[in-house]
Amino acid sequence: MYDLIIRQAKCPDGSLTDIAIRDGKIAATGQLDSGTTATQILDLHGKVYASAGWIDSHVHCYIKSPIYHDEPDLIGVASGVTTVVDAGSTGANDVDDFYQLTREAKTNVLAFLNIARTGIVTQNELADMEQIDKASVRDAIARNPDFIIGIKARMSSSVVGKNGIKPLVRAKEIQQENNDLPLMVHIGNNPPDLDEITDLLTSGDIITHCYNGKPNRILSPEGVLRDSVKRALSRGVLLDVGHGSASFSFEVARLAIAQGIVPHTISSDIYCRNRATGPVHSLATVMSKFFTVGLSLEQVIECVTCNVADALRLPSKGRLEVGADADLTLFEIQHAPKVFLDSEGQSVTGEQLLVPLAAVVAGVTLFTDEGKSNHVFER
Protein backbone atom coordinates (compact mmCIF):
# COMPACT_ATOMS: atom_id res chain seq x y z
CA MET A 1 0.00 0.00 0.00
CA TYR A 2 1.45 3.31 -1.10
CA ASP A 3 0.55 6.81 -0.01
CA LEU A 4 0.30 8.13 -3.57
CA ILE A 5 0.47 6.65 -7.04
CA ILE A 6 0.78 8.87 -10.09
CA ARG A 7 -0.25 6.85 -13.11
CA GLN A 8 0.60 7.39 -16.76
CA ALA A 9 2.77 10.43 -16.18
CA LYS A 10 4.44 11.79 -19.29
CA CYS A 11 8.21 12.15 -18.97
CA PRO A 12 10.10 14.97 -20.71
CA ASP A 13 11.41 12.44 -23.26
CA GLY A 14 7.82 11.50 -24.15
CA SER A 15 7.73 8.10 -22.45
CA LEU A 16 5.10 7.20 -19.87
CA THR A 17 5.68 6.00 -16.32
CA ASP A 18 3.93 5.35 -13.02
CA ILE A 19 5.37 6.74 -9.81
CA ALA A 20 4.64 5.33 -6.36
CA ILE A 21 5.35 7.27 -3.17
CA ARG A 22 5.58 6.10 0.43
CA ASP A 23 6.69 8.04 3.54
CA GLY A 24 7.82 11.06 1.55
CA LYS A 25 10.11 9.07 -0.75
CA ILE A 26 9.80 7.64 -4.24
CA ALA A 27 9.18 3.94 -3.69
CA ALA A 28 8.72 2.63 -7.24
CA THR A 29 8.71 3.80 -10.85
CA GLY A 30 7.85 2.18 -14.17
CA GLN A 31 4.67 0.35 -15.12
CA LEU A 32 2.94 -0.69 -11.89
CA ASP A 33 0.44 -3.53 -11.74
CA SER A 34 -3.13 -2.29 -12.22
CA GLY A 35 -4.10 -3.76 -8.86
CA THR A 36 -1.52 -1.80 -6.90
CA THR A 37 -3.26 0.29 -4.27
CA ALA A 38 -2.60 3.67 -2.65
CA THR A 39 -4.34 6.14 -0.38
CA GLN A 40 -4.44 8.57 -3.32
CA ILE A 41 -4.19 7.89 -7.04
CA LEU A 42 -3.66 10.56 -9.69
CA ASP A 43 -4.14 9.27 -13.23
CA LEU A 44 -2.56 11.68 -15.71
CA HIS A 45 -3.72 9.63 -18.74
CA GLY A 46 -0.47 10.39 -20.54
CA LYS A 47 -1.57 14.02 -20.93
CA VAL A 48 0.38 15.70 -18.11
CA TYR A 49 4.14 15.78 -17.73
CA ALA A 50 5.90 14.83 -14.51
CA SER A 51 9.48 15.60 -13.63
CA ALA A 52 11.53 15.71 -10.49
CA GLY A 53 10.54 18.77 -8.47
CA TRP A 54 11.76 22.02 -9.97
CA ILE A 55 14.49 23.76 -8.00
CA ASP A 56 14.93 27.52 -8.37
CA SER A 57 18.52 28.09 -7.28
CA HIS A 58 18.42 31.90 -7.25
CA VAL A 59 15.51 33.66 -5.55
CA HIS A 60 15.01 36.34 -2.91
CA CYS A 61 12.41 35.31 -0.34
CA TYR A 62 13.43 36.72 3.06
CA ILE A 63 10.22 38.59 3.69
CA LYS A 64 11.91 41.12 6.00
CA SER A 65 14.51 42.20 3.44
CA PRO A 66 14.09 45.93 2.70
CA ILE A 67 15.12 45.64 -0.97
CA TYR A 68 14.47 42.18 -2.44
CA HIS A 69 11.84 40.02 -0.77
CA ASP A 70 8.92 37.69 -1.43
CA GLU A 71 6.95 34.87 0.15
CA PRO A 72 8.51 31.43 -0.40
CA ASP A 73 5.25 29.71 -1.29
CA LEU A 74 4.24 32.32 -3.88
CA ILE A 75 7.44 31.72 -5.84
CA GLY A 76 7.55 28.08 -4.75
CA VAL A 77 4.68 25.59 -4.68
CA ALA A 78 2.12 28.06 -6.04
CA SER A 79 4.32 28.18 -9.16
CA GLY A 80 5.10 24.47 -9.35
CA VAL A 81 8.52 24.88 -7.71
CA THR A 82 9.28 22.44 -4.90
CA THR A 83 12.58 23.94 -3.67
CA VAL A 84 13.79 27.55 -3.66
CA VAL A 85 17.28 28.71 -2.75
CA ASP A 86 17.60 32.27 -1.50
CA ALA A 87 20.70 33.84 -3.05
CA GLY A 88 22.27 35.96 -0.35
CA SER A 89 19.40 38.04 0.96
CA THR A 90 20.64 37.32 4.47
CA GLY A 91 24.04 37.29 6.10
CA ALA A 92 25.21 36.02 9.48
CA ASN A 93 23.21 38.71 11.30
CA ASP A 94 19.76 37.57 10.19
CA VAL A 95 20.01 34.10 8.66
CA ASP A 96 18.72 32.49 11.87
CA ASP A 97 15.57 34.59 11.70
CA PHE A 98 15.19 33.71 8.03
CA TYR A 99 15.50 30.03 8.85
CA GLN A 100 12.76 30.19 11.48
CA LEU A 101 10.40 32.00 9.12
CA THR A 102 10.88 29.36 6.44
CA ARG A 103 9.67 26.60 8.76
CA GLU A 104 6.12 27.77 8.03
CA ALA A 105 6.51 27.30 4.28
CA LYS A 106 5.22 24.34 2.29
CA THR A 107 8.09 24.88 -0.15
CA ASN A 108 11.55 23.55 0.65
CA VAL A 109 13.66 26.64 1.38
CA LEU A 110 17.47 26.71 1.41
CA ALA A 111 19.96 29.57 1.40
CA PHE A 112 23.21 30.89 0.04
CA LEU A 113 24.67 32.95 2.88
CA ASN A 114 25.82 36.42 1.88
CA ILE A 115 29.46 36.87 2.89
CA ALA A 116 28.46 40.32 4.23
CA ARG A 117 27.09 40.12 7.78
CA THR A 118 24.02 42.22 6.95
CA GLY A 119 23.06 40.49 3.72
CA ILE A 120 21.37 42.79 1.22
CA VAL A 121 19.99 45.67 3.27
CA THR A 122 21.74 48.17 1.01
CA GLN A 123 23.02 47.82 -2.54
CA ASN A 124 26.68 48.10 -1.50
CA GLU A 125 27.08 45.46 1.18
CA LEU A 126 30.66 44.64 0.10
CA ALA A 127 31.96 48.21 -0.08
CA ASP A 128 33.19 47.87 3.51
CA MET A 129 35.54 44.92 4.02
CA GLU A 130 34.71 44.98 7.75
CA GLN A 131 31.32 43.57 6.76
CA ILE A 132 32.99 40.31 5.75
CA ASP A 133 33.70 38.56 9.04
CA LYS A 134 34.97 35.02 8.65
CA ALA A 135 34.09 33.94 12.17
CA SER A 136 30.50 35.13 11.81
CA VAL A 137 30.11 33.22 8.55
CA ARG A 138 31.63 30.07 10.06
CA ASP A 139 29.36 30.22 13.09
CA ALA A 140 26.24 30.86 11.02
CA ILE A 141 27.01 27.84 8.84
CA ALA A 142 27.61 25.70 11.91
CA ARG A 143 24.24 26.75 13.37
CA ASN A 144 22.34 26.02 10.14
CA PRO A 145 24.10 23.13 8.39
CA ASP A 146 20.99 21.84 6.61
CA PHE A 147 19.78 25.31 5.58
CA ILE A 148 22.88 27.13 4.37
CA ILE A 149 24.03 25.20 1.32
CA GLY A 150 26.54 27.71 -0.02
CA ILE A 151 27.86 31.27 0.08
CA LYS A 152 27.14 34.26 -2.16
CA ALA A 153 29.29 37.18 -3.31
CA ARG A 154 27.87 39.96 -5.46
CA MET A 155 30.79 41.16 -7.57
CA SER A 156 29.62 44.26 -9.40
CA SER A 157 30.75 47.86 -9.06
CA SER A 158 27.69 49.13 -7.17
CA VAL A 159 28.13 46.40 -4.56
CA VAL A 160 31.89 46.34 -3.98
CA GLY A 161 32.57 50.08 -4.32
CA LYS A 162 36.32 50.72 -4.34
CA ASN A 163 37.18 47.23 -3.11
CA GLY A 164 37.42 45.72 -6.57
CA ILE A 165 38.26 42.02 -6.50
CA LYS A 166 39.08 41.87 -2.77
CA PRO A 167 35.66 40.61 -1.59
CA LEU A 168 35.93 37.63 -3.94
CA VAL A 169 39.41 36.81 -2.65
CA ARG A 170 37.91 36.80 0.85
CA ALA A 171 34.95 34.71 -0.32
CA LYS A 172 37.28 32.04 -1.70
CA GLU A 173 39.11 31.93 1.64
CA ILE A 174 35.78 31.52 3.44
CA GLN A 175 34.80 28.76 1.04
CA GLN A 176 38.03 26.84 1.61
CA GLU A 177 37.65 27.16 5.38
CA ASN A 178 34.08 25.79 5.27
CA ASN A 179 34.31 22.45 3.48
CA ASP A 180 34.42 24.06 0.03
CA LEU A 181 30.73 24.94 0.08
CA PRO A 182 29.30 25.97 -3.30
CA LEU A 183 30.07 29.61 -4.12
CA MET A 184 27.66 31.65 -6.22
CA VAL A 185 29.15 34.80 -7.76
CA HIS A 186 26.96 37.57 -9.13
CA ILE A 187 28.44 39.35 -12.16
CA GLY A 188 27.32 42.76 -13.39
CA ASN A 189 28.85 46.12 -14.16
CA ASN A 190 32.61 46.49 -13.78
CA PRO A 191 34.92 47.02 -11.99
CA PRO A 192 35.95 44.38 -11.13
CA ASP A 193 36.42 43.11 -14.66
CA LEU A 194 34.93 39.73 -15.50
CA ASP A 195 38.38 38.39 -16.40
CA GLU A 196 39.58 39.11 -12.84
CA ILE A 197 36.53 37.36 -11.42
CA THR A 198 36.66 34.23 -13.54
CA ASP A 199 40.39 33.74 -13.04
CA LEU A 200 39.73 33.24 -9.31
CA LEU A 201 36.94 30.69 -9.75
CA THR A 202 37.45 26.94 -9.38
CA SER A 203 35.50 23.77 -10.11
CA GLY A 204 31.91 23.91 -8.86
CA ASP A 205 31.78 27.68 -8.45
CA ILE A 206 28.68 29.23 -10.00
CA ILE A 207 28.56 32.35 -12.18
CA THR A 208 25.04 33.76 -11.96
CA HIS A 209 23.56 36.29 -14.42
CA CYS A 210 25.59 34.51 -17.08
CA TYR A 211 23.61 35.93 -20.02
CA ASN A 212 23.42 39.55 -18.88
CA GLY A 213 23.70 42.17 -21.60
CA LYS A 214 26.05 44.54 -19.79
CA PRO A 215 29.52 45.42 -21.11
CA ASN A 216 31.09 43.14 -18.48
CA ARG A 217 29.46 40.05 -20.01
CA ILE A 218 30.71 36.60 -20.98
CA LEU A 219 30.89 37.43 -24.71
CA SER A 220 33.45 39.72 -26.32
CA PRO A 221 32.28 42.70 -28.42
CA GLU A 222 32.61 40.37 -31.41
CA GLY A 223 30.14 37.96 -29.83
CA VAL A 224 32.52 35.14 -28.95
CA LEU A 225 33.19 33.64 -25.54
CA ARG A 226 35.85 35.46 -23.54
CA ASP A 227 39.04 33.45 -23.13
CA SER A 228 38.88 33.84 -19.34
CA VAL A 229 35.37 32.36 -19.25
CA LYS A 230 36.43 29.55 -21.57
CA ARG A 231 39.26 28.69 -19.18
CA ALA A 232 36.87 28.83 -16.20
CA LEU A 233 34.40 26.48 -17.87
CA SER A 234 37.21 24.05 -18.63
CA ARG A 235 38.01 24.02 -14.89
CA GLY A 236 34.42 23.06 -14.06
CA VAL A 237 32.93 26.48 -13.28
CA LEU A 238 29.14 26.46 -13.80
CA LEU A 239 26.85 28.95 -15.55
CA ASP A 240 23.55 29.95 -13.91
CA VAL A 241 20.94 32.13 -15.59
CA GLY A 242 19.70 34.30 -12.69
CA HIS A 243 17.32 36.21 -15.00
CA GLY A 244 16.20 39.00 -12.68
CA SER A 245 15.16 42.53 -13.56
CA ALA A 246 18.44 43.52 -15.22
CA SER A 247 20.46 40.40 -15.97
CA PHE A 248 19.13 38.48 -18.98
CA SER A 249 19.55 39.29 -22.67
CA PHE A 250 17.94 37.23 -25.42
CA GLU A 251 20.71 38.33 -27.78
CA VAL A 252 23.51 37.19 -25.48
CA ALA A 253 21.75 33.90 -24.69
CA ARG A 254 21.08 33.17 -28.35
CA LEU A 255 24.66 33.91 -29.43
CA ALA A 256 26.13 31.91 -26.55
CA ILE A 257 23.90 28.86 -26.93
CA ALA A 258 24.54 28.79 -30.69
CA GLN A 259 28.22 28.33 -29.78
CA GLY A 260 27.38 25.51 -27.36
CA ILE A 261 27.64 27.68 -24.23
CA VAL A 262 24.55 26.30 -22.50
CA PRO A 263 23.51 27.08 -18.93
CA HIS A 264 24.12 24.47 -16.27
CA THR A 265 21.18 25.78 -14.26
CA ILE A 266 18.18 27.99 -15.04
CA SER A 267 17.09 30.24 -12.19
CA SER A 268 14.80 33.24 -11.92
CA ASP A 269 16.30 35.77 -9.46
CA ILE A 270 12.67 36.41 -8.61
CA TYR A 271 11.29 38.72 -5.95
CA CYS A 272 7.93 40.41 -5.44
CA ARG A 273 8.36 43.23 -7.97
CA ASN A 274 9.72 41.32 -10.96
CA ARG A 275 7.25 38.54 -10.20
CA ALA A 276 4.23 40.86 -10.30
CA THR A 277 5.25 43.20 -13.11
CA GLY A 278 7.89 41.21 -14.98
CA PRO A 279 10.03 40.48 -16.77
CA VAL A 280 10.48 37.35 -14.61
CA HIS A 281 6.93 36.42 -13.47
CA SER A 282 7.87 32.83 -12.51
CA LEU A 283 10.49 30.14 -12.96
CA ALA A 284 8.21 28.49 -15.54
CA THR A 285 8.20 31.70 -17.59
CA VAL A 286 11.99 31.92 -17.48
CA MET A 287 12.28 28.25 -18.46
CA SER A 288 9.89 28.80 -21.38
CA LYS A 289 12.10 31.57 -22.77
CA PHE A 290 14.84 29.04 -23.39
CA PHE A 291 12.77 27.24 -25.99
CA THR A 292 13.16 30.40 -28.11
CA VAL A 293 16.98 30.32 -27.92
CA GLY A 294 17.60 26.72 -28.82
CA LEU A 295 17.11 24.45 -25.80
CA SER A 296 14.88 21.35 -25.82
CA LEU A 297 12.35 20.42 -23.15
CA GLU A 298 14.69 17.76 -21.77
CA GLN A 299 17.56 20.26 -21.51
CA VAL A 300 15.38 22.85 -19.80
CA ILE A 301 14.07 20.34 -17.24
CA GLU A 302 17.59 19.10 -16.48
CA CYS A 303 18.58 22.71 -15.73
CA VAL A 304 16.04 22.90 -12.87
CA THR A 305 16.32 19.33 -11.57
CA CYS A 306 19.37 17.04 -11.75
CA ASN A 307 21.84 19.77 -12.73
CA VAL A 308 20.85 21.95 -9.78
CA ALA A 309 20.82 19.04 -7.36
CA ASP A 310 24.34 18.10 -8.42
CA ALA A 311 25.63 21.69 -8.26
CA LEU A 312 24.19 22.27 -4.79
CA ARG A 313 25.03 18.81 -3.43
CA LEU A 314 21.43 17.75 -2.86
CA PRO A 315 21.69 14.00 -3.56
CA SER A 316 18.10 13.18 -2.57
CA LYS A 317 16.58 15.70 -4.99
CA GLY A 318 16.48 16.32 -8.71
CA ARG A 319 15.74 12.81 -10.01
CA LEU A 320 12.76 10.47 -10.27
CA GLU A 321 14.56 7.55 -8.71
CA VAL A 322 13.66 5.05 -6.02
CA GLY A 323 14.81 6.40 -2.66
CA ALA A 324 14.82 10.05 -3.75
CA ASP A 325 12.68 12.66 -2.03
CA ALA A 326 9.12 12.54 -3.36
CA ASP A 327 9.33 16.05 -4.81
CA LEU A 328 7.74 16.31 -8.25
CA THR A 329 6.39 18.96 -10.58
CA LEU A 330 3.37 18.17 -12.75
CA PHE A 331 3.01 20.43 -15.77
CA GLU A 332 1.68 20.85 -19.27
CA ILE A 333 2.88 22.73 -22.32
CA GLN A 334 0.60 25.24 -23.98
CA HIS A 335 1.26 25.63 -27.68
CA ALA A 336 0.29 29.16 -28.69
CA PRO A 337 2.10 32.42 -29.53
CA LYS A 338 3.48 34.05 -26.38
CA VAL A 339 5.48 37.28 -26.18
CA PHE A 340 8.40 37.13 -23.75
CA LEU A 341 10.50 40.08 -22.56
CA ASP A 342 14.11 40.02 -21.46
CA SER A 343 15.77 42.39 -18.99
CA GLU A 344 16.83 44.71 -21.82
CA GLY A 345 13.25 45.40 -22.93
CA GLN A 346 13.62 43.21 -26.03
CA SER A 347 10.77 40.89 -26.95
CA VAL A 348 10.66 37.45 -28.53
CA THR A 349 7.55 35.53 -29.56
CA GLY A 350 7.63 31.92 -28.47
CA GLU A 351 5.31 29.05 -29.29
CA GLN A 352 5.54 27.05 -26.06
CA LEU A 353 4.69 27.97 -22.48
CA LEU A 354 5.30 25.69 -19.50
CA VAL A 355 2.27 25.68 -17.19
CA PRO A 356 2.80 24.09 -13.75
CA LEU A 357 -0.27 22.23 -12.50
CA ALA A 358 0.96 20.86 -9.17
CA ALA A 359 3.94 20.61 -6.89
CA VAL A 360 4.36 17.38 -4.95
CA VAL A 361 6.50 17.98 -1.86
CA ALA A 362 7.47 14.95 0.24
CA GLY A 363 4.50 13.14 -1.27
CA VAL A 364 1.93 15.87 -0.59
CA THR A 365 0.19 17.19 -3.70
CA LEU A 366 -0.29 20.95 -3.86
CA PHE A 367 -2.20 22.13 -6.92
CA THR A 368 -1.51 25.46 -8.58
CA ASP A 369 -4.43 27.64 -9.65
CA GLU A 370 -4.15 26.17 -13.15
CA GLY A 371 -4.02 22.66 -11.75
CA LYS A 372 -7.16 23.13 -9.67
CA SER A 373 -9.19 23.76 -12.80
CA ASN A 374 -7.57 21.09 -14.99
CA HIS A 375 -10.01 18.33 -15.93
CA VAL A 376 -7.27 15.69 -16.02
CA PHE A 377 -7.28 15.63 -12.22
CA GLU A 378 -11.01 14.97 -11.90
CA ARG A 379 -11.73 11.72 -10.07
Side-chain angles (χ1 to χ4, degrees):
M1 181 78 169
Y2 296 109
D3 300 322
L4 170 65
I5 293 176
I6 299 173
R7 288 198 176 275
Q8 293 294 285
K10 191 174 183 180
C11 299
D13 65 4
S15 63
L16 299 181
T17 190
D18 300 334
I19 304 162
I21 293 167
R22 183 189 292 124
D23 297 331
K25 297 287 185 179
I26 295 175
T29 61
Q31 301 304 312
L32 300 179
D33 186 271
S34 59
T36 306
T37 60
T39 303
Q40 180 188 18
I41 296 177
L42 288 178
D43 195 334
L44 305 187
H45 305 286
K47 297 179 180 179
V48 172
Y49 286 94
S51 72
W54 295 352
I55 303 168
D56 193 340
S57 59
H58 186 154
V59 309
H60 292 282
C61 63
Y62 178 45
I63 198 64
K64 295 182 182 180
S65 173
I67 300 178
Y68 306 118
H69 57 267
D70 213 328
E71 296 181 27
D73 286 342
L74 285 179
I75 60 177
V77 293
S79 301
V81 178
T82 58
T83 300
V84 297
V85 186
D86 185 277
S89 300
T90 58
N93 287 2
D94 47 10
V95 70
D96 300 284
D97 181 56
F98 182 30
Y99 171 77
Q100 290 302 323
L101 291 173
T102 64
R103 299 311 90 190
E104 303 298 320
K106 297 176 181 177
T107 308
N108 300 309
V109 184
L110 302 169
F112 282 100
L113 184 74
N114 198 308
I115 61 170
R117 286 195 307 261
T118 59
I120 308 175
V121 296
T122 64
Q123 291 285 18
N124 64 341
E125 73 267 17
L126 299 181
D128 179 2
M129 292 297 291
E130 294 299 317
Q131 281 269 47
I132 311 172
D133 180 67
K134 290 184 179 182
S136 294
V137 171
R138 181 197 63 224
D139 293 346
I141 293 169
R143 292 194 304 271
N144 300 279
D146 298 322
F147 181 59
I148 298 172
I149 53 83
I151 56 176
K152 172 78 179 292
R154 299 202 303 154
M155 294 302 298
S156 55
S157 58
S158 60
V159 179
V160 302
K162 297 179 180 180
N163 285 329
I165 201 68
K166 288 190 290 185
L168 184 55
V169 173
R170 185 75 56 84
K172 291 297 292 181
E173 293 170 355
I174 290 170
Q175 178 190 40
Q176 292 162 10
E177 294 167 9
N178 290 275
N179 299 314
D180 285 320
L181 281 175
L183 167 64
M184 176 178 279
V185 179
H186 153 127
I187 59 171
N189 290 317
N190 58 322
D193 188 80
L194 183 57
D195 294 341
E196 290 183 274
I197 293 170
T198 53
D199 282 346
L200 284 176
L201 302 183
T202 54
S203 180
D205 291 345
I206 302 163
I207 295 173
T208 192
H209 310 314
C210 68
Y211 298 133
N212 76 68
K214 300 167 185 176
N216 201 31
R217 60 194 184 191
I218 65 170
L219 300 182
S220 71
E222 295 75 33
V224 298
L225 187 66
R226 287 194 191 202
D227 287 340
S228 64
V229 180
K230 187 181 299 184
R231 291 193 300 270
L233 296 181
S234 71
R235 295 194 300 273
V237 173
L238 309 176
L239 297 180
D240 173 62
V241 171
H243 187 301
S245 302
S247 299
F248 177 74
S249 162
F250 277 125
E251 180 184 8
V252 173
R254 188 180 300 109
L255 285 171
I257 289 170
Q259 298 173 53
I261 309 159
V262 298
H264 190 80
T265 54
I266 295 175
S267 65
S268 66
D269 190 17
I270 197 169
Y271 76 110
C272 60
R273 186 173 299 173
N274 65 29
R275 170 175 56 82
T277 62
V280 174
H281 297 298
S282 67
L283 180 61
T285 302
V286 174
M287 292 162 64
S288 300
K289 294 179 184 184
F290 279 85
F291 297 138
T292 73
V293 292
L295 294 195
S296 67
L297 174 61
E298 288 181 83
Q299 286 176 301
V300 167
I301 296 300
E302 286 174 354
C303 285
V304 297
T305 55
C306 56
N307 288 3
V308 186
D310 290 346
L312 303 187
R313 305 174 192 172
L314 304 174
S316 65
K317 299 191 182 298
R319 290 176 171 83
L320 294 182
E321 297 177 349
V322 173
D325 290 348
D327 293 352
L328 294 82
T329 299
L330 310 183
F331 64 97
E332 63 181 4
I333 301 176
Q334 290 183 357
H335 295 272
K338 170 71 176 178
V339 177
F340 297 107
L341 288 176
D342 67 8
S343 302
E344 306 283 313
Q346 300 300 307
S347 64
V348 169
T349 300
E351 298 293 333
Q352 298 182 93
L353 178 67
L354 292 166
V355 180
L357 303 178
V360 180
V361 180
V364 177
T365 306
L366 303 161
F367 292 101
T368 65
D369 288 343
E370 293 81 5
K372 291 172 185 176
S373 60
N374 193 295
H375 66 86
V376 171
F377 298 112
E378 294 175 359
R379 296 293 299 273

